[in-house]
Amino acid sequence: MQRAIYLIGVAQFEGVITLPLLQIVFLQPDFAQWRSALGDALASENTLDSALEKFTLVFSSQNAVFALQNAGISLRGKRGFVVGKSTRHAFVKAGGIVLGMPENATGDCLAALICAAKPAQPILYCKARESFRDIVGILRNEGIAANEIVVYESIPNPQNFAPPPHDSIIIFGAPSSYKNFVLRFGWQPSYHAIAIGKSTFASLSQEAQQNAQIAPKPSFQACVTLAKKLTKT
Protein backbone atom coordinates (compact mmCIF):
# COMPACT_ATOMS: atom_id res chain seq x y z
CA MET A 1 0.00 0.00 0.00
CA GLN A 2 1.43 3.39 -1.03
CA ARG A 3 2.28 5.85 1.73
CA ALA A 4 -0.09 8.79 2.11
CA ILE A 5 1.23 12.33 1.61
CA TYR A 6 -0.19 15.14 3.74
CA LEU A 7 0.47 18.85 3.32
CA ILE A 8 -0.15 21.07 6.34
CA GLY A 9 -1.49 24.24 4.77
CA VAL A 10 -3.89 25.24 2.03
CA ALA A 11 -1.93 24.48 -1.16
CA GLN A 12 -3.47 21.82 -3.39
CA PHE A 13 -1.50 19.17 -5.32
CA GLU A 14 -2.58 16.01 -7.09
CA GLY A 15 -2.07 12.94 -4.93
CA VAL A 16 -1.62 15.02 -1.76
CA ILE A 17 -4.08 15.40 1.12
CA THR A 18 -4.30 18.99 2.36
CA LEU A 19 -4.84 19.65 6.08
CA PRO A 20 -5.62 23.36 6.70
CA LEU A 21 -4.91 23.25 10.42
CA LEU A 22 -4.41 27.02 10.55
CA GLN A 23 -6.44 29.86 9.12
CA ILE A 24 -5.29 33.35 8.22
CA VAL A 25 -6.82 36.40 9.92
CA PHE A 26 -6.19 39.82 8.38
CA LEU A 27 -5.76 42.53 11.00
CA GLN A 28 -7.43 45.92 10.77
CA PRO A 29 -5.02 48.86 11.10
CA ASP A 30 -4.26 49.96 14.64
CA PHE A 31 -3.29 53.63 14.38
CA ALA A 32 -0.98 53.53 17.41
CA GLN A 33 0.98 50.60 15.96
CA TRP A 34 1.20 52.18 12.52
CA ARG A 35 2.29 55.49 14.07
CA SER A 36 5.05 53.65 15.93
CA ALA A 37 6.19 51.92 12.74
CA LEU A 38 5.96 54.91 10.39
CA GLY A 39 6.95 57.72 12.75
CA ASP A 40 6.82 61.24 11.36
CA ALA A 41 5.76 59.93 7.95
CA LEU A 42 2.29 59.40 9.38
CA ALA A 43 1.35 62.95 10.27
CA SER A 44 -2.16 63.67 11.46
CA GLU A 45 -3.17 64.90 8.01
CA ASN A 46 -1.63 61.95 6.15
CA THR A 47 -3.36 58.71 5.23
CA LEU A 48 -1.64 55.33 5.38
CA ASP A 49 -1.67 55.31 1.59
CA SER A 50 0.37 58.51 1.35
CA ALA A 51 2.64 57.62 4.27
CA LEU A 52 3.64 54.32 2.68
CA GLU A 53 4.94 56.17 -0.38
CA LYS A 54 7.89 57.23 1.79
CA PHE A 55 8.89 53.61 2.49
CA THR A 56 10.20 50.60 0.63
CA LEU A 57 7.92 47.72 1.54
CA VAL A 58 9.01 44.15 2.23
CA PHE A 59 6.73 41.12 1.94
CA SER A 60 7.72 37.59 2.95
CA SER A 61 4.22 36.25 2.20
CA GLN A 62 1.39 37.00 -0.19
CA ASN A 63 -0.87 37.07 2.88
CA ALA A 64 0.71 40.38 3.93
CA VAL A 65 -0.23 41.86 0.56
CA PHE A 66 -3.79 40.58 0.91
CA ALA A 67 -3.97 41.93 4.48
CA LEU A 68 -3.14 45.48 3.39
CA GLN A 69 -5.67 45.28 0.57
CA ASN A 70 -8.27 43.94 3.00
CA ALA A 71 -7.63 46.97 5.21
CA GLY A 72 -8.34 49.29 2.30
CA ILE A 73 -4.70 50.34 1.82
CA SER A 74 -3.76 50.93 -1.80
CA LEU A 75 -0.50 49.40 -3.01
CA ARG A 76 -0.67 50.99 -6.46
CA GLY A 77 2.67 52.57 -7.25
CA LYS A 78 4.25 51.38 -3.99
CA ARG A 79 7.74 49.91 -4.25
CA GLY A 80 8.90 46.79 -2.48
CA PHE A 81 10.88 43.57 -2.22
CA VAL A 82 9.10 40.20 -2.27
CA VAL A 83 10.18 36.74 -1.14
CA GLY A 84 8.89 34.57 -4.00
CA LYS A 85 6.74 34.16 -7.08
CA SER A 86 3.32 33.97 -5.40
CA THR A 87 4.08 37.08 -3.33
CA ARG A 88 5.38 38.88 -6.42
CA HIS A 89 2.20 37.97 -8.32
CA ALA A 90 -0.01 39.31 -5.53
CA PHE A 91 1.99 42.54 -5.19
CA VAL A 92 2.09 43.23 -8.94
CA LYS A 93 -1.63 42.48 -9.28
CA ALA A 94 -2.24 45.04 -6.52
CA GLY A 95 -0.33 47.64 -8.54
CA GLY A 96 2.97 47.41 -6.70
CA ILE A 97 6.42 47.80 -8.25
CA VAL A 98 8.82 44.93 -7.46
CA LEU A 99 12.36 46.08 -6.72
CA GLY A 100 13.75 42.60 -6.23
CA MET A 101 13.07 38.96 -5.44
CA PRO A 102 15.71 36.49 -4.18
CA GLU A 103 16.53 33.37 -6.15
CA ASN A 104 15.71 31.26 -3.08
CA ALA A 105 12.48 32.10 -1.27
CA THR A 106 13.87 32.36 2.27
CA GLY A 107 13.97 35.15 4.81
CA ASP A 108 17.78 35.13 4.88
CA CYS A 109 18.03 35.46 1.11
CA LEU A 110 15.42 38.22 1.08
CA ALA A 111 17.33 40.16 3.75
CA ALA A 112 20.62 39.66 1.89
CA LEU A 113 19.06 40.99 -1.33
CA ILE A 114 17.82 44.12 0.43
CA CYS A 115 21.19 44.68 2.11
CA ALA A 116 22.93 44.44 -1.27
CA ALA A 117 20.44 46.87 -2.87
CA LYS A 118 20.86 49.48 -0.09
CA PRO A 119 17.50 51.19 -0.76
CA ALA A 120 17.39 54.94 -0.20
CA GLN A 121 14.00 54.86 1.51
CA PRO A 122 13.50 53.31 4.95
CA ILE A 123 12.16 49.74 5.00
CA LEU A 124 8.76 48.70 6.30
CA TYR A 125 8.44 44.95 6.70
CA CYS A 126 4.77 43.87 6.59
CA LYS A 127 4.63 40.58 8.44
CA ALA A 128 2.77 37.89 10.33
CA ARG A 129 2.40 38.13 14.09
CA GLU A 130 4.54 35.02 14.52
CA SER A 131 7.67 34.88 12.40
CA PHE A 132 10.91 32.96 12.75
CA ARG A 133 13.44 35.20 11.02
CA ASP A 134 14.29 38.66 12.30
CA ILE A 135 14.54 40.40 8.94
CA VAL A 136 14.40 43.87 10.49
CA GLY A 137 17.20 42.97 12.90
CA ILE A 138 19.38 41.77 10.01
CA LEU A 139 18.77 45.00 8.07
CA ARG A 140 19.45 47.22 11.05
CA ASN A 141 22.73 45.41 11.73
CA GLU A 142 23.74 46.40 8.19
CA GLY A 143 22.91 50.05 8.85
CA ILE A 144 19.60 50.05 6.95
CA ALA A 145 16.71 51.97 8.50
CA ALA A 146 13.93 49.43 8.98
CA ASN A 147 10.80 48.83 10.96
CA GLU A 148 7.95 46.31 10.91
CA ILE A 149 4.20 46.12 11.22
CA VAL A 150 2.06 43.06 11.98
CA VAL A 151 -0.74 42.83 9.41
CA TYR A 152 -2.00 39.25 9.77
CA GLU A 153 -1.85 36.21 12.00
CA SER A 154 -2.42 32.46 11.84
CA ILE A 155 -4.88 30.92 14.28
CA PRO A 156 -6.00 27.30 14.76
CA ASN A 157 -8.74 26.15 12.42
CA PRO A 158 -11.65 25.00 14.64
CA GLN A 159 -12.57 22.27 12.15
CA ASN A 160 -11.88 18.70 13.25
CA PHE A 161 -9.46 16.60 11.19
CA ALA A 162 -8.52 12.93 11.43
CA PRO A 163 -4.81 12.35 12.11
CA PRO A 164 -2.64 11.00 9.27
CA PRO A 165 -2.30 7.24 9.39
CA HIS A 166 0.83 5.31 10.34
CA ASP A 167 3.80 5.76 7.94
CA SER A 168 2.47 8.97 6.33
CA ILE A 169 4.76 11.57 4.74
CA ILE A 170 3.92 15.01 6.14
CA ILE A 171 4.94 18.31 4.56
CA PHE A 172 5.42 21.36 6.77
CA GLY A 173 5.69 24.83 5.24
CA ALA A 174 6.34 26.75 8.45
CA PRO A 175 7.29 26.15 12.10
CA SER A 176 3.76 27.13 13.13
CA SER A 177 2.36 24.32 10.97
CA TYR A 178 4.47 21.72 12.78
CA LYS A 179 3.67 23.20 16.20
CA ASN A 180 -0.06 23.09 15.55
CA PHE A 181 0.14 19.59 14.07
CA VAL A 182 1.83 18.18 17.18
CA LEU A 183 -0.60 19.94 19.51
CA ARG A 184 -3.48 18.25 17.70
CA PHE A 185 -2.13 14.83 16.85
CA GLY A 186 1.18 14.26 18.61
CA TRP A 187 3.96 12.60 16.61
CA GLN A 188 4.32 8.98 15.53
CA PRO A 189 7.83 7.60 14.99
CA SER A 190 6.66 6.15 11.66
CA TYR A 191 5.86 9.59 10.24
CA HIS A 192 8.32 11.04 7.73
CA ALA A 193 8.54 14.84 7.79
CA ILE A 194 9.52 17.12 4.92
CA ALA A 195 10.39 20.70 5.89
CA ILE A 196 10.20 23.49 3.33
CA GLY A 197 13.35 25.13 4.70
CA LYS A 198 15.99 25.19 7.42
CA SER A 199 13.99 27.20 9.96
CA THR A 200 11.05 24.82 9.65
CA PHE A 201 13.38 21.82 10.02
CA ALA A 202 14.96 23.42 13.11
CA SER A 203 11.50 23.71 14.70
CA LEU A 204 10.96 19.94 14.55
CA SER A 205 11.57 17.93 17.69
CA GLN A 206 14.67 15.75 17.81
CA GLU A 207 12.42 12.72 17.40
CA ALA A 208 10.86 14.15 14.23
CA GLN A 209 14.22 15.26 12.83
CA GLN A 210 15.46 11.67 12.92
CA ASN A 211 13.04 10.86 10.11
CA ALA A 212 12.89 14.16 8.23
CA GLN A 213 14.35 15.93 5.23
CA ILE A 214 14.64 19.49 3.96
CA ALA A 215 13.24 20.10 0.48
CA PRO A 216 15.91 20.84 -2.16
CA LYS A 217 14.19 24.17 -2.84
CA PRO A 218 12.00 26.25 -0.49
CA SER A 219 8.70 25.63 -2.28
CA PHE A 220 5.72 23.36 -1.77
CA GLN A 221 6.23 21.97 -5.26
CA ALA A 222 9.74 20.83 -4.32
CA CYS A 223 8.35 19.30 -1.10
CA VAL A 224 5.68 17.38 -3.02
CA THR A 225 8.18 16.14 -5.62
CA LEU A 226 10.43 14.83 -2.86
CA ALA A 227 7.49 13.24 -1.05
CA LYS A 228 6.37 11.38 -4.17
CA LYS A 229 9.90 10.04 -4.65
CA LEU A 230 9.83 8.75 -1.07
CA THR A 231 6.59 6.84 -1.72
CA LYS A 232 8.49 4.74 -4.29
CA THR A 233 11.28 3.74 -1.90
Side-chain angles (χ1 to χ4, degrees):
M1 184 175 182
Q2 185 166 303
R3 303 168 75 182
I5 302 173
Y6 284 77
L7 186 150
I8 310 307
V10 297
Q12 302 282 337
F13 293 90
E14 184 178 355
V16 176
I17 301 168
T18 298
L19 285 184
L21 301 185
L22 296 172
Q23 58 187 26
I24 302 298
V25 175
F26 300 141
L27 304 180
Q28 288 302 309
D30 181 293
F31 186 82
Q33 291 180 11
W34 278 93
R35 185 58 179 257
S36 176
L38 301 182
D40 293 338
L42 187 58
S44 58
E45 67 274 12
N46 287 350
T47 64
L48 287 177
D49 285 352
S50 60
L52 288 181
E53 293 175 358
K54 302 176 182 180
F55 289 82
T56 295
L57 305 180
V58 174
F59 299 100
S60 60
S61 169
Q62 63 179 350
N63 289 319
V65 176
F66 298 151
L68 293 185
Q69 290 182 291
N70 185 71
I73 298 172
S74 174
L75 293 175
R76 184 162 301 280
K78 306 299 191 299
R79 297 155 62 86
F81 292 89
V82 298
V83 74
K85 293 180 181 179
S86 61
T87 307
R88 179 181 64 187
H89 177 76
F91 187 47
V92 170
K93 188 175 181 180
I97 300 169
V98 175
L99 298 178
M101 182 185 77
E103 184 175 345
N104 291 320
T106 67
D108 284 339
C109 291
L110 178 60
L113 177 67
I114 297 168
C115 289
K118 293 181 170 54
Q121 290 182 311
I123 293 292
L124 181 66
Y125 174 33
C126 303
K127 63 185 289 290
R129 185 177 302 282
E130 186 177 8
S131 58
F132 295 86
R133 201 69 187 102
D134 184 11
I135 291 178
V136 165
I138 295 172
L139 299 180
R140 287 176 175 173
N141 286 338
E142 295 297 321
I144 296 174
N147 216 329
E148 62 187 31
I149 186 73
V150 175
V151 296
Y152 74 96
E153 63 183 345
S154 300
I155 64 172
N157 187 338
Q159 184 178 348
N160 290 323
F161 298 95
H166 173 82
D167 207 33
S168 293
I169 300 170
I170 305 169
I171 297 170
F172 297 104
S176 57
S177 297
Y178 170 74
K179 178 181 177 181
N180 191 261
F181 179 92
V182 172
L183 286 174
R184 289 192 185 222
F185 306 130
W187 189 258
Q188 294 186 28
S190 66
Y191 286 157
H192 189 110
I194 295 178
I196 201 168
K198 293 180 180 179
S199 61
T200 301
F201 181 84
S203 73
L204 306 180
S205 68
Q206 289 186 347
E207 179 187 21
Q209 286 182 356
Q210 291 176 4
N211 197 22
Q213 292 174 256
I214 300 174
K217 292 184 178 180
S219 71
F220 276 126
Q221 182 60 68
C223 291
V224 170
T225 299
L226 175 58
K228 290 184 175 180
K229 287 181 180 179
L230 291 174
T231 64
K232 300 175 182 178
T233 60

